[in-house]
PDB file of all heavy atoms in Angstrom:
ATOM      1  N   GLU A 101     103.553 107.321 113.646  1.00 97.00           N
ATOM      2  CA  GLU A 101     104.406 107.531 114.828  1.00 97.00           C
ATOM      3  C   GLU A 101     104.540 106.249 115.640  1.00 97.00           C
ATOM      4  O   GLU A 101     105.632 105.851 116.037  1.00 97.00           O
ATOM      5  CB  GLU A 101     103.798 108.628 115.713  1.00 97.00           C
ATOM      6  CG  GLU A 101     104.708 109.812 115.887  1.00 97.00           C
ATOM      7  CD  GLU A 101     104.048 110.868 116.741  1.00 97.00           C
ATOM      8  OE1 GLU A 101     103.938 110.660 117.977  1.00 97.00           O
ATOM      9  OE2 GLU A 101     103.652 111.897 116.164  1.00 97.00           O
ATOM     10  N   GLU A 102     103.405 105.599 115.886  1.00 97.00           N
ATOM     11  CA  GLU A 102     103.373 104.371 116.680  1.00 97.00           C
ATOM     12  C   GLU A 102     104.228 103.273 116.038  1.00 97.00           C
ATOM     13  O   GLU A 102     104.944 102.550 116.726  1.00 97.00           O
ATOM     14  CB  GLU A 102     101.921 103.903 116.809  1.00 97.00           C
ATOM     15  CG  GLU A 102     101.702 102.670 117.632  1.00 97.00           C
ATOM     16  CD  GLU A 102     100.225 102.288 117.651  1.00 97.00           C
ATOM     17  OE1 GLU A 102      99.387 103.158 118.004  1.00 97.00           O
ATOM     18  OE2 GLU A 102      99.907 101.142 117.299  1.00 97.00           O
ATOM     19  N   LEU A 103     104.167 103.166 114.723  1.00 97.00           N
ATOM     20  CA  LEU A 103     104.891 102.119 114.001  1.00 97.00           C
ATOM     21  C   LEU A 103     106.312 102.546 113.626  1.00 97.00           C
ATOM     22  O   LEU A 103     107.069 101.756 113.073  1.00 97.00           O
ATOM     23  CB  LEU A 103     104.133 101.727 112.732  1.00 97.00           C
ATOM     24  CG  LEU A 103     102.732 101.179 112.920  1.00 97.00           C
ATOM     25  CD1 LEU A 103     102.037 100.993 111.579  1.00 97.00           C
ATOM     26  CD2 LEU A 103     102.770  99.863 113.687  1.00 97.00           C
ATOM     27  N   GLU A 104     106.637 103.811 113.897  1.00 96.00           N
ATOM     28  CA  GLU A 104     107.943 104.379 113.573  1.00 96.00           C
ATOM     29  C   GLU A 104     108.278 104.226 112.085  1.00 96.00           C
ATOM     30  O   GLU A 104     109.360 103.804 111.707  1.00 96.00           O
ATOM     31  CB  GLU A 104     109.043 103.769 114.449  1.00 96.00           C
ATOM     32  CG  GLU A 104     108.828 104.032 115.920  1.00 96.00           C
ATOM     33  CD  GLU A 104     109.883 103.398 116.819  1.00 96.00           C
ATOM     34  OE1 GLU A 104     110.711 102.601 116.331  1.00 96.00           O
ATOM     35  OE2 GLU A 104     109.873 103.723 118.016  1.00 96.00           O
ATOM     36  N   THR A 105     107.315 104.599 111.246  1.00 97.00           N
ATOM     37  CA  THR A 105     107.536 104.518 109.807  1.00 97.00           C
ATOM     38  C   THR A 105     108.318 105.742 109.338  1.00 97.00           C
ATOM     39  O   THR A 105     108.275 106.800 109.962  1.00 97.00           O
ATOM     40  CB  THR A 105     106.202 104.419 109.036  1.00 97.00           C
ATOM     41  OG1 THR A 105     105.412 105.572 109.303  1.00 97.00           O
ATOM     42  CG2 THR A 105     105.434 103.182 109.426  1.00 97.00           C
ATOM     43  N   ASP A 106     109.034 105.574 108.249  1.00 95.00           N
ATOM     44  CA  ASP A 106     109.773 106.701 107.697  1.00 95.00           C
ATOM     45  C   ASP A 106     109.211 107.158 106.355  1.00 95.00           C
ATOM     46  O   ASP A 106     109.743 108.048 105.712  1.00 95.00           O
ATOM     47  CB  ASP A 106     111.276 106.419 107.604  1.00 95.00           C
ATOM     48  CG  ASP A 106     111.615 105.016 107.162  1.00 95.00           C
ATOM     49  OD1 ASP A 106     110.832 104.435 106.401  1.00 95.00           O
ATOM     50  OD2 ASP A 106     112.656 104.510 107.597  1.00 95.00           O
ATOM     51  N   LEU A 107     108.104 106.544 105.925  1.00 97.00           N
ATOM     52  CA  LEU A 107     107.406 106.974 104.716  1.00 97.00           C
ATOM     53  C   LEU A 107     105.938 106.596 104.830  1.00 97.00           C
ATOM     54  O   LEU A 107     105.606 105.489 105.241  1.00 97.00           O
ATOM     55  CB  LEU A 107     108.009 106.311 103.467  1.00 97.00           C
ATOM     56  CG  LEU A 107     107.331 106.621 102.123  1.00 97.00           C
ATOM     57  CD1 LEU A 107     107.494 108.096 101.755  1.00 97.00           C
ATOM     58  CD2 LEU A 107     107.887 105.739 101.017  1.00 97.00           C
ATOM     59  N   ILE A 108     105.071 107.537 104.453  1.00 96.00           N
ATOM     60  CA  ILE A 108     103.638 107.269 104.327  1.00 96.00           C
ATOM     61  C   ILE A 108     103.307 107.378 102.842  1.00 96.00           C
ATOM     62  O   ILE A 108     103.668 108.361 102.185  1.00 96.00           O
ATOM     63  CB  ILE A 108     102.781 108.285 105.122  1.00 96.00           C
ATOM     64  CG1 ILE A 108     103.112 108.243 106.613  1.00 96.00           C
ATOM     65  CG2 ILE A 108     101.289 108.013 104.892  1.00 96.00           C
ATOM     66  CD1 ILE A 108     102.437 109.347 107.432  1.00 96.00           C
ATOM     67  N   VAL A 109     102.646 106.368 102.303  1.00 96.00           N
ATOM     68  CA  VAL A 109     102.217 106.373 100.900  1.00 96.00           C
ATOM     69  C   VAL A 109     100.688 106.441 100.882  1.00 96.00           C
ATOM     70  O   VAL A 109     100.020 105.659 101.559  1.00 96.00           O
ATOM     71  CB  VAL A 109     102.690 105.097 100.158  1.00 96.00           C
ATOM     72  CG1 VAL A 109     102.161 105.083  98.725  1.00 96.00           C
ATOM     73  CG2 VAL A 109     104.213 104.996 100.170  1.00 96.00           C
ATOM     74  N   ILE A 110     100.169 107.390 100.118  1.00 93.00           N
ATOM     75  CA  ILE A 110      98.719 107.561 100.003  1.00 93.00           C
ATOM     76  C   ILE A 110      98.375 107.843  98.544  1.00 93.00           C
ATOM     77  O   ILE A 110      99.236 108.234  97.760  1.00 93.00           O
ATOM     78  CB  ILE A 110      98.204 108.727 100.879  1.00 93.00           C
ATOM     79  CG1 ILE A 110      99.054 109.966 100.659  1.00 93.00           C
ATOM     80  CG2 ILE A 110      98.151 108.349 102.335  1.00 93.00           C
ATOM     81  CD1 ILE A 110      98.531 111.197 101.308  1.00 93.00           C
ATOM     82  N   GLY A 111      97.135 107.668  98.194  1.00 89.00           N
ATOM     83  CA  GLY A 111      96.667 108.004  96.859  1.00 89.00           C
ATOM     84  C   GLY A 111      96.199 109.444  96.819  1.00 89.00           C
ATOM     85  O   GLY A 111      95.734 109.982  97.815  1.00 89.00           O
ATOM     86  N   SER A 112      96.363 110.070  95.666  1.00 83.00           N
ATOM     87  CA  SER A 112      95.880 111.433  95.476  1.00 83.00           C
ATOM     88  C   SER A 112      95.106 111.487  94.173  1.00 83.00           C
ATOM     89  O   SER A 112      95.581 111.007  93.144  1.00 83.00           O
ATOM     90  CB  SER A 112      97.055 112.416  95.426  1.00 83.00           C
ATOM     91  OG  SER A 112      96.575 113.707  95.119  1.00 83.00           O
ATOM     92  N   HIS A 113      93.934 112.057  94.241  1.00 70.00           N
ATOM     93  CA  HIS A 113      93.084 112.127  93.052  1.00 70.00           C
ATOM     94  C   HIS A 113      93.342 113.373  92.227  1.00 70.00           C
ATOM     95  O   HIS A 113      92.743 113.554  91.188  1.00 70.00           O
ATOM     96  CB  HIS A 113      91.606 112.054  93.456  1.00 70.00           C
ATOM     97  CG  HIS A 113      91.269 110.771  94.122  1.00 70.00           C
ATOM     98  ND1 HIS A 113      91.268 110.617  95.485  1.00 70.00           N
ATOM     99  CD2 HIS A 113      90.972 109.557  93.604  1.00 70.00           C
ATOM    100  CE1 HIS A 113      90.969 109.367  95.776  1.00 70.00           C
ATOM    101  NE2 HIS A 113      90.785 108.709  94.661  1.00 70.00           N
ATOM    102  N   GLY A 114      94.221 114.254  92.697  1.00 61.00           N
ATOM    103  CA  GLY A 114      94.559 115.449  91.933  1.00 61.00           C
ATOM    104  C   GLY A 114      93.371 116.327  91.655  1.00 61.00           C
ATOM    105  O   GLY A 114      93.162 116.799  90.555  1.00 61.00           O
ATOM    106  N   ARG A 115      92.569 116.559  92.675  1.00 56.00           N
ATOM    107  CA  ARG A 115      91.361 117.368  92.497  1.00 56.00           C
ATOM    108  C   ARG A 115      91.720 118.812  92.169  1.00 56.00           C
ATOM    109  O   ARG A 115      92.785 119.298  92.506  1.00 56.00           O
ATOM    110  CB  ARG A 115      90.518 117.309  93.773  1.00 56.00           C
ATOM    111  CG  ARG A 115      89.927 115.936  93.980  1.00 56.00           C
ATOM    112  CD  ARG A 115      88.969 115.955  95.155  1.00 56.00           C
ATOM    113  NE  ARG A 115      88.264 114.713  95.210  1.00 56.00           N
ATOM    114  CZ  ARG A 115      88.673 113.636  95.871  1.00 56.00           C
ATOM    115  NH1 ARG A 115      89.805 113.662  96.516  1.00 56.00           N
ATOM    116  NH2 ARG A 115      87.967 112.533  95.877  1.00 56.00           N
TER     117      ARG A 115
END
Side-chain angles (χ1 to χ4, degrees):
E101 241 179 73
E102 182 182 306
L103 300 173
E104 299 178 351
T105 60
D106 40 31
L107 177 66
I108 300 172
V109 177
I110 48 172
S112 175
H113 298 95
R115 291 187 171 89

